[in-house]
């Protein structure tokens, strides 16, 4: 389990310091608390910061750079902080803020710069230049018109699993640090990957996975997770070989 911290009133460097301290003090020793092993060998907690761009980069720098007034770096509460990239212009604010990486969150290809598959190679290149993690986010499809009738332009048909596989393939091609799956039991947004059977109420027909089995998206997730695990081992080894080459 890791934490996805959404905006709240007066979210800033000081409140975030207290949030992180509380979370690590309370849950940090729990066996289910996720830690990511960095290339330095440290196993650090990870925090995804949703809508990070609405807070000034200087505020984040106070928390996330070693010289910041609320610095969390090199302390018992140090962690990996992952910023949301929506617009291309957010990249340098993320860098100035001292973040450790970028994620894209949205399951709708083309909705934002960050969530567009065609931009992932460029985002990865940017991340590599500045030693940031790149975490593209994928989803099985998207449809939220039952709660946002005006948003039909962001509907993405599942195409019997093909949309999900296209997203996963695009993510793998970017050689990311991690792939995140944007899914929750939010059937009104159509991002579920759980087992699903036909269901209707008086005014809503929920999408199911017919003609496939109820477990289709869990099986696709397993298939692509295995593929990613194998490919990641190969390109991580290649990167290690490159980084250990002698230079003259």
């Amino acid at each position: 389990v890791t934490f996805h911290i959404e905006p709240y009133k007066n979210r800033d460097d000081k409140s975030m310091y207290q949030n992180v301290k509380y979370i690590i003090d309370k849950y940090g020793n729990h066996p289910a608390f996720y830690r990511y092993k960095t290339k330095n060998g440290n196993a650090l907690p990870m925090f995804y910061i949703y809508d990070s761009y609405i807070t000034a980069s200087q505020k984040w720098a106070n928390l996330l750079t070693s010289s910041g007034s609320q610095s969390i770096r090199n302390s018992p509460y140090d962690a990996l902080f992952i910023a949301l990239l929506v617009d291309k212009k957010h990249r340098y604010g993320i860098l100035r803020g001292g973040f450790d990486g970028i994620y894209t969150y949205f399951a709708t290809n083309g909705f934002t710069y960050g969530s567009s598959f065609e931009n992932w190679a460029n985002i990865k290149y940017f991340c590599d230049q500045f030693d940031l993690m790149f975490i593209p986010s994928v989803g099985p499809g998207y449809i939220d018109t039952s709660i946002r009738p005006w948003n039909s332009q962001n509907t993405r048909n599942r195409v019997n699993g093909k949309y999900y596989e296209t997203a996963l393939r695009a993510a793998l091609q970017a050689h990311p640090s991690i792939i995140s799956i944007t899914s929750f039991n939010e059937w009104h947004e159509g991002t579920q990957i759980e087992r699903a059977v036909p269901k209707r109420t008086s005014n809503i027909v929920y999408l199911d996975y017919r003609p496939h089995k109820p477990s289709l998206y869990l099986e696709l997730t397993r298939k692509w997770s295995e593929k990613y695990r194998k490919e990641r081992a190969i390109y991580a080894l290649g990167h290690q070989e490159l980084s250990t080459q002698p230079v003259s």
Side-chain angles (χ1 to χ4, degrees):
V1 177
T2 189
F3 286 77
H4 191 212
I5 300 182
E6 300 212 20
Y8 53 82
K9 186 178 180 181
N10 298 324
R11 184 181 72 177
D12 63 11
D13 48 338
K14 296 181 179 66
S15 64
M16 279 292 298
Y17 186 96
Q18 293 305 318
N19 294 161
V20 171
K21 183 177 185 300
Y22 172 83
I23 288 168
I24 292 176
D25 284 345
K26 187 169 179 66
Y27 303 111
N29 292 323
H30 195 286
F33 188 75
Y34 179 76
R35 291 177 180 271
Y36 181 89
K37 189 171 182 180
T38 68
K39 57 189 175 186
N40 296 327
N42 299 322
L44 294 178
M46 180 176 285
F47 295 94
Y48 290 81
I49 313 299
Y50 186 71
D51 279 359
S52 46
Y53 58 89
I54 66 176
T55 301
S57 56
Q58 182 52 52
K59 290 282 187 182
W60 291 121
N62 288 341
L63 180 75
L64 302 179
T65 62
S66 56
S67 60
S69 58
Q70 301 287 324
S71 181
I72 217 158
R73 298 306 189 189
N74 304 311
S75 79
Y77 303 108
D78 203 354
L80 297 170
F81 293 84
I82 313 300
L84 173 60
L85 179 70
V86 175
D87 294 333
K88 187 176 183 179
K89 65 184 180 183
H90 293 151
R91 296 176 304 161
Y92 289 98
I94 289 169
L95 200 59
R96 288 192 299 270
F99 283 94
D100 300 284
I102 284 169
Y103 78 117
T104 61
Y105 182 72
F106 297 103
T108 300
N109 180 27
F111 174 50
T112 69
Y113 173 82
S115 71
S116 299
F117 306 162
E118 66 181 11
N119 296 326
W120 286 353
N122 286 334
I123 298 170
K124 176 61 162 57
Y125 178 73
F126 176 85
C127 289
D128 286 350
Q129 282 183 299
F130 297 102
D131 200 25
L132 297 174
M133 299 174 70
F134 176 47
I135 306 178
S137 304
V138 303
Y142 192 84
I143 180 167
D144 66 354
T145 49
S146 64
I147 55 168
R148 302 183 187 99
W150 63 87
N151 199 36
S152 60
Q153 75 272 14
N154 283 318
T155 295
R156 297 295 182 271
N157 193 296
R158 290 175 177 247
V159 204
N160 293 319
K162 290 185 175 63
Y163 180 87
Y164 194 37
E165 293 201 90
T166 298
L168 285 159
R169 186 176 294 108
L172 259 67
Q173 287 173 349
H175 292 179
S177 308
I178 292 175
I179 298 171
S180 71
I181 300 170
T182 300
S183 173
F184 188 61
N185 198 23
E186 290 185 354
W187 298 75
H188 56 277
E189 292 185 345
T191 64
Q192 72 279 355
I193 61 173
E194 296 91 340
R195 291 171 60 89
V197 295
K199 169 76 174 178
R200 69 168 60 229
T201 67
S202 58
N203 57 354
I204 295 177
V205 178
Y206 290 95
L207 296 178
D208 56 68
Y209 310 149
R210 291 177 297 181
H212 300 282
K213 294 186 295 183
S215 59
L216 170 66
Y217 287 90
L218 294 180
E219 291 173 7
L220 289 176
T221 303
R222 178 187 293 115
K223 168 187 163 182
W224 283 91
S225 295
E226 281 297 302
K227 186 173 174 61
Y228 174 54
R229 184 181 62 80
K230 291 173 183 175
E231 289 194 11
R232 189 169 188 266
I234 292 169
Y235 68 70
L237 181 63
H239 178 75
Q240 186 179 37
E241 288 174 351
L242 283 171
S243 64
T244 56
Q245 290 295 319
V247 291
S248 56

